[in-house]
Amino acid sequence: MMADGNENNLMDGSPVLVIGVGNAYRGDDAAGLIAASNIREKNLPGVKVVEESGEGAALMELWKEQDAVILFDSLRSGSEPGTIQRFRAGAQPVPKDIFHYSTHLFGVAEAVELARALDRLPPHLIIYGIKGRNFSMGPELSPEVEEAVPEAVRLAMEDIRILQSPERPGPN
Amino acid sequence: MSKTLKVDYLARVEGEGGLLVRVKDDKIAEVKLKIFEPPRFFEALLRGRKYSEAPDITARICGICPVAYQITAVRALEGAFGIAVGEQIRALRRLIHLGEWIESHALHVYMLHAPDFLGYEDSIQMAKDYPDVVQRGLQLKKVGNEVVAAVGGREIHPINVRVGGFYRLPEGRELFPLVKRLEWAREAALETVRWVAAFPFPQFERDYTFVALRHPQEYPVNEGRIVSNKGLDISADRYDDHFVEEHVPYSNALQSALKEGGEYLVGPLARYNLNYNRLSGAAREAAQSAGLAGICRNPFKGIIVRAVETLYACDESLRIISNYKVPRMLHAAEVRPRANTGYACTEAPRGVLYHRYRIDDDGDIVDAKIVPPTAQNQKSIESDLREFVSRNLNQPEEKLVWQCEQTVRNYDPCISCATHLLKPSVVRE
C-alpha cells in the first residue's frame, strides 16, 4: 500500500496484490487461478498472490486498501478461445457480460463497477481476462487456454515491473 | 387480453434461469420457472467416495452456503455411525452456520433484492444514491465472513468441519475479536430492519404451506424436526416418506412436493412463521416495530424477515461466543464406519436442506440424496407468479415483468444449488 504517496516507496518490491479468480474444477474457469499461481512461484518481493472464487463483495474487501492490483479471470464470451483481454479498470468500464459466470453471481465486473460507484477502486487495477472455451466440470484446460496462460503471465510481469519501478504511471 | 411475459435471463440470482408467463384471454395459460444451468451431478460424484469426503465435496455445490452443506453432511453421517458430539462442538457448528446466514442475508438484502424495491437496475446504480447504505451492507456481510473464517479456517468453502467434530478448534482468543464486530453488526442489522421495513410492498398474500425445522428451545439453524403449519411433524429420517421430487421438462432441477399436499415453501418466511417464539427478544421487537406480527404471508416482506434473522444471528453468535469453552475433544474419539443410512436436515439461509447417505462397511458412499431449498421452492415460486400476474393483469407490461422478477428474487433462489439434481433420462424410439 502506498500510504503516504511518497515517491520513494515506488521502488523494487513495493506492494502489488495479484488475485486469481475462478473455479479449479470447471475447465477453463481455472485459467485465472493458474496464472496467479504461476506468479506466486516466482517469489517476487512485495508481490502477494491470493486465489478467490470471484464473489464480488469479497474482491472489494480484498483490494480495498491496495494501491496496485492485478486480477486474472476467465472470460466467457467475446473473442476466440485463448484471447487475452487487458482492462485498466480505472480508465474503462468493465463489460459486465463477459465476466459473468454462474459461480460469480456478484462477480468481478459488478465488484469493479460498484467499487467505482463508491469511489473505492484501487488507484491501479489491471484485469486480465482469458477467453475460455470449455466451462464444464473437470480440471483440464483447453489447449488454446493453456497456451494463453503463460502469455498473460508474461504481460502481467511487465505490469508488475512498471508498478514497482520509479517509472510507474499515475493512477489510471 | 393475451400476452407473454418473458425474462430470458434472471438477473441478481445465483445461477442461470429464466421465466415465462403466458396469458391467454385474461387467464394465465402457462407459468414456467426455467432452470437451464447445466446439471452438476454431485450425487453421482459422491458414489464410491469415502464418507469423510462428503462434507468437502458437497460444500462445493454452493459458494454462498457451503457451511450448510458441510454441517448437513456431517450430521447425516454421524447419525449413520451413531456418533453424538458434545455441546461445545454443537455450539461451534451453530456459530459457523449463523456466520453464513449473516453473509448470505446481507448479500441478498443489500446487493440483490433492495434494488427491486427502490427502482434500481442493480446495486451499482443504487450505490450512487445510497453509498453509505451499500457500504453498511458490505460491512455486514464481511462480519458474517469473519465468523465463518474464525471457525472454518477460511471464508468460502471452509475446511475445518469433519465427521465427529472439527479438524482444529478455535481458541477463545480467536473468537473474542468477533465480539466487537458482531456488536457493530447487530446495530447495522437493526438499521437494516428499519430501512427495509419502509420499502413499498405490494399487497399480496398467499395461504402457504410453510415447512421449516423446529427445535425445542432454539430458533432452528443446524437441527430440529421438520414441521409445517399444516400438521407435518417428522424427523429427518422420515423425509422421503413425505416429500417427493419430480422432473419437469423445462427445468434442469427436480421440483419437490409434499406427498400429502403438493407445493410448500421453505426459507426465512417459513422459519419465522413456525419459530417466531424462538427468536431473541430484540429480534422479536424489531420485527414488531417493522410491522410484522408473528405471522407474515406476504412473500415480498421476506426481505424484512431476512433482516430480522440477521439481527437474531448476531445476537445468537454473541451468546455462543460469550459461553464458549474450548471443547476437551477435537472430535469424536473414533469414527467407526458401518453399513447404514444417515439422514439430516439443516436450515441453509434459503431454507431446509436435506441430505441422505447410504454407506457400506468400508465407509464408502453407496448412494446419496441431496435436496436443496431452491428445488423445494420452485413450485411455490411458480404459484406466486401465477397469482401475482392474474391479480395485476392491468398493469403496464414493463412494470409487470419487473414485479415478476422481484417475485422470483423474494426467494433468493440459488439455481446453482438446485441444478445438481436432475436425473438424466434416455428416450429411445
Side-chain angles (χ1 to χ4, degrees):
Chain A
M1 181 173 34
M2 192 176 69
D4 53 9
N6 185 336
E7 287 297 309
N8 293 330
N9 280 350
L10 303 177
M11 55 180 65
D12 212 26
S14 61
V16 177
L17 177 68
V18 174
I19 307 174
V21 165
N23 181 337
Y25 306 104
R26 290 292 286 262
D28 294 336
D29 201 34
L33 299 176
I34 295 170
S37 76
N38 287 356
I39 292 197
R40 176 185 285 129
E41 283 162 15
K42 296 181 194 296
N43 278 324
L44 302 169
V47 176
K48 188 181 169 202
V49 178
V50 294
E51 284 154 10
E52 276 292 314
S53 71
E55 195 275 301
L59 290 175
M60 289 177 66
E61 194 53 43
L62 207 56
W63 71 46
K64 186 169 69 175
E65 285 168 14
Q66 301 293 328
D67 184 62
V69 178
I70 294 176
L71 183 148
F72 295 100
D73 194 7
S74 52
L75 297 180
R76 199 183 186 200
S77 54
S79 38
E80 288 294 301
T83 307
I84 297 167
Q85 281 185 268
R86 181 178 180 276
F87 304 91
R88 284 173 70 88
Q92 61 195 117
V94 176
K96 227 171 156 179
D97 52 335
I98 62 169
F99 280 105
H100 195 86
Y101 196 59
S102 60
T103 49
H104 307 174
L105 98 136
F106 174 71
V108 173
E110 286 87 350
V112 170
E113 295 312 317
L114 186 58
R116 195 193 313 279
L118 294 172
D119 202 16
R120 282 173 53 180
L121 268 184
H124 301 273
L125 173 58
I126 299 168
I127 299 178
Y128 282 96
I130 302 168
K131 171 68 171 61
R133 178 157 60 87
N134 166 33
F135 290 90
S136 59
M137 277 188 81
E140 304 298 321
L141 290 187
S142 306
E144 307 93 314
V145 174
E146 195 152 11
E147 262 178 49
V149 168
E151 176 61 9
V153 169
R154 195 189 62 74
L155 292 168
M157 288 292 293
E158 178 60 14
D159 288 326
I160 291 172
R161 192 192 64 74
I162 293 169
L163 286 167
Q164 290 191 323
S165 73
E167 63 193 86
R168 168 182 180 141
N172 49 151
Chain B
M1 176 177 48
S2 296
K3 62 169 129 184
T4 302
L5 306 172
K6 203 171 148 202
V7 177
D8 287 334
Y9 281 88
L10 281 162
R12 285 184 272 130
V13 301
E14 167 60 25
E16 296 182 8
L19 66 92
L20 175 83
V21 181
R22 209 158 52 77
V23 181
K24 198 175 176 197
D25 303 329
D26 281 347
K27 292 227 164 52
I28 309 291
E30 196 179 14
V31 175
K32 285 178 179 169
L33 174 69
K34 297 175 161 185
I35 290 187
F36 40 79
E37 171 140 332
R40 299 187 290 158
F41 308 119
F42 268 89
E43 287 148 314
L45 193 74
L46 284 161
R47 270 180 233 140
R49 310 298 290 244
K50 280 280 168 230
Y51 77 88
S52 51
E53 294 179 276
D56 292 326
I57 291 176
T58 57
R60 291 281 165 178
I61 292 174
C62 187
I64 301 174
C65 57
V67 171
Y69 281 93
Q70 290 189 321
I71 301 292
T72 319
V74 295
R75 287 204 44 251
L77 291 159
E78 286 164 3
F81 304 153
I83 297 169
V85 299
E87 194 52 37
Q88 289 295 324
I89 296 277
R90 211 183 140 262
L92 272 182
R93 287 182 179 172
R94 191 169 166 82
L95 179 61
I96 187 174
H97 211 127
L98 288 164
E100 180 165 277
W101 276 22
I102 297 171
E103 61 170 287
S104 174
H105 281 359
L107 182 74
H108 184 253
V109 167
Y110 282 87
M111 299 294 135
L112 308 176
H113 209 193
D116 279 338
F117 293 95
L118 299 174
Y120 293 96
E121 195 190 327
D122 53 35
S123 55
I124 298 162
Q125 306 309 318
M126 192 174 89
K128 291 174 184 164
D129 294 339
Y130 294 91
D132 295 344
V133 169
V134 172
Q135 300 265 28
R136 183 174 71 210
L138 289 169
Q139 277 310 303
L140 191 54
K141 180 185 179 299
K142 182 162 185 281
V143 176
N145 281 74
E146 287 167 11
V147 173
V148 173
V151 183
R154 62 180 180 196
E155 291 177 0
I156 299 177
H157 300 129
I159 45 174
N160 194 22
V161 176
R162 60 167 283 178
V163 177
F166 286 93
Y167 288 105
R168 183 186 167 278
L169 293 168
E171 298 287 335
R173 65 184 151 76
E174 292 170 75
L175 299 186
F176 296 145
L178 294 174
V179 170
K180 268 206 153 49
R181 302 287 290 142
L182 282 160
E183 282 169 351
W184 176 87
R186 80 176 299 282
E187 290 307 310
L190 255 174
E191 281 297 316
T192 309
V193 177
R194 290 185 201 120
W195 178 55
V196 297
F199 287 174
F201 292 100
Q203 291 292 321
F204 182 77
E205 292 196 342
R206 281 211 304 125
D207 178 22
Y208 294 99
T209 298
F210 296 115
V211 172
L213 298 189
R214 186 161 168 89
H215 183 276
Q217 288 93 32
E218 301 165 341
Y219 197 74
V221 178
N222 47 357
E223 59 185 69
R225 288 175 70 80
I226 306 161
V227 302
S228 81
N229 56 330
K230 304 204 173 153
L232 185 76
D233 185 352
I234 56 165
S235 51
D237 58 354
R238 301 289 308 284
Y239 184 94
D240 294 315
D241 297 340
H242 294 269
F243 296 88
V244 63
E245 282 73 50
E246 301 161 346
H247 180 222
V248 293
Y250 52 85
S251 174
N252 281 355
L254 296 174
Q255 291 195 349
S256 297
L258 263 165
K259 285 182 184 170
E260 51 259 46
E263 68 170 65
Y264 61 101
L265 181 142
V266 299
L269 215 59
R271 274 196 296 260
Y272 175 86
N273 286 319
L274 293 165
N275 295 281
Y276 175 73
N277 59 355
R278 303 276 193 272
L279 283 167
S280 60
R284 273 202 305 268
E285 257 172 54
Q288 276 166 11
S289 48
L292 290 189
I295 291 287
C296 172
R297 291 197 175 85
N298 183 338
F300 293 91
K301 292 188 176 173
I303 193 168
I304 310 179
V305 175
R306 278 193 174 84
V308 169
E309 280 195 339
T310 307
L311 173 62
Y312 171 77
C314 294
D315 278 347
E316 180 66 357
S317 300
L318 284 164
R319 188 191 68 75
I320 291 170
I321 293 171
S322 70
N323 292 331
Y324 179 65
K325 291 189 191 72
V326 183
R328 281 188 299 122
M329 302 278 280
L330 181 58
H331 51 79
E334 199 177 2
V335 177
R336 258 190 231 149
R338 63 180 188 203
N340 202 359
T341 302
Y343 312 82
C345 277
T346 68
E347 286 286 351
R350 288 153 198 78
V352 174
L353 168 63
Y354 171 65
H355 285 213
R356 183 194 74 203
Y357 299 93
R358 194 150 58 85
I359 307 292
D360 66 16
D361 274 326
D362 297 328
D364 293 336
I365 297 168
V366 179
D367 172 58
K369 178 173 178 174
I370 296 170
V371 187
T374 294
Q376 301 180 73
N377 277 336
Q378 283 181 91
K379 279 183 190 297
S380 192
I381 297 174
E382 290 184 343
S383 293
D384 275 11
L385 286 166
R386 194 175 292 118
E387 282 280 318
F388 189 84
V389 173
S390 57
R391 291 187 207 175
N392 293 280
L393 275 174
N394 298 328
Q395 297 215 22
E397 189 156 329
E398 201 181 330
K399 188 174 176 198
L400 203 48
V401 169
W402 177 281
Q403 290 188 320
C404 281
E405 285 199 58
Q406 189 176 356
T407 303
V408 177
R409 281 192 290 265
N410 287 335
Y411 287 78
D412 189 12
C414 186
I415 291 171
S416 303
C417 275
T419 39
H420 64 92
L421 283 164
L422 178 75
K423 289 186 178 136
S425 57
V426 179
V427 179
R428 294 177 205 279
E429 289 179 315

